[in-house]
Amino acid sequence: MERFSEEKATIDELEQLRVVGQVGARRILGRSLWYFKEHIRYSKKFMLNVPNKTPNAHHPTYLVSDVLRYRKLNDWW
């Protein structure tokens, strides 16, 4: 059985998950990983609306519902 990859998953498959990492969040937002890491992840608006669910872990994870809600905001891009 092949391991699940957020990079290869469709947006619909990502929306079925409960949490996603940086790759899944950037896929949902439609931006490159570099752009997500440099401009979105540490922005005040993103940190307020999409809290990191594993703050002490090496790889941050976010709730899919929070990322989808953030995507619907009209002034983040």
Side-chain angles (χ1 to χ4, degrees):
M1 183 167 178
E2 193 173 323
R3 186 175 171 202
F4 180 78
S5 170
E6 289 181 348
E7 185 67 39
K8 295 177 182 176
T10 64
I11 300 299
D12 292 332
E13 289 173 339
L14 290 172
E15 289 176 359
Q16 300 298 320
L17 300 174
R18 186 174 182 278
V19 295
V20 290
Q22 295 178 86
V23 174
R26 75 101 185 154
R27 294 272 327 269
I28 291 172
L29 296 175
R31 296 292 184 166
S32 69
L33 187 58
W34 175 84
Y35 190 88
F36 176 77
K37 286 182 176 181
E38 294 293 319
H39 299 284
I40 298 174
R41 179 173 61 171
Y42 294 118
S43 69
K44 191 175 259 187
K45 186 173 208 81
F46 187 78
M47 290 193 305
L48 286 173
N49 289 295
V50 188
N52 182 1
K53 292 301 167 187
T54 53
N56 295 325
H58 183 67
H59 299 289
T61 56
Y62 310 103
L63 288 178
V64 172
S65 58
D66 289 342
V67 177
L68 291 172
R69 184 172 32 84
Y70 183 78
R71 184 176 69 175
K72 291 179 183 176
L73 296 175
N74 62 354
D75 60 347
W76 66 271
W77 62 88

